Amino acid sequence: MRSDLPKAALVLCMVVAIACPVAAETHAAWRRQGASQAEQKDWYAQNFGSIDALRQAVDEPGLRRIRDEKGPANAVREVKRQLPRLPLDVAVTLVKAL
């Protein structure tokens, strides 16, 4: 790395060359996640609209058994397995309401 530029400038250029693409990818992933969450909320509103309607559509005794035996996190995972488009916060609210 022989150059007329000081070593600090070369190091700075390398850091910028690595940091900019990483920052751009992170920002793009963050925006995609926000869009996905909005789509999930819309899907929930169109198909259920309320926790009561959702409770009627799922197997309450089965979820309650999973919650009591394996814990609430496993019950939330089961809800998300059955209804993958359901927002996570709604799945958590459902398990708490059982």
Side-chain angles (χ1 to χ4, degrees):
M1 286 188 16
R2 289 188 66 116
S3 175
D4 293 337
L5 293 175
K7 285 186 180 185
L10 290 174
V11 170
L12 180 62
C13 288
M14 287 182 201
V15 168
V16 168
I18 293 170
C20 286
V22 169
E25 286 296 321
T26 303
H27 180 70
W30 178 73
R31 289 183 56 97
R32 281 191 301 269
Q33 181 183 7
S36 175
Q37 288 174 350
E39 289 171 1
Q40 288 177 343
K41 294 277 186 190
D42 290 343
W43 179 84
Y44 168 69
Q46 290 173 357
N47 290 294
F48 300 105
S50 71
I51 290 292
D52 293 329
L54 179 60
R55 284 178 77 164
Q56 293 174 0
V58 297
D59 177 26
E60 278 189 73
L63 288 174
R64 197 174 295 118
R65 181 180 44 77
I66 292 171
R67 183 196 63 193
D68 294 342
E69 292 175 4
K70 298 180 182 177
N74 285 325
V76 170
R77 275 191 216 107
E78 180 61 23
V79 171
K80 288 292 287 177
R81 188 189 66 73
Q82 292 176 10
L83 301 166
R85 295 183 72 188
L86 189 70
L88 182 60
D89 61 333
V90 175
V92 170
T93 302
L94 172 67
V95 170
K96 286 180 180 179
L98 294 176

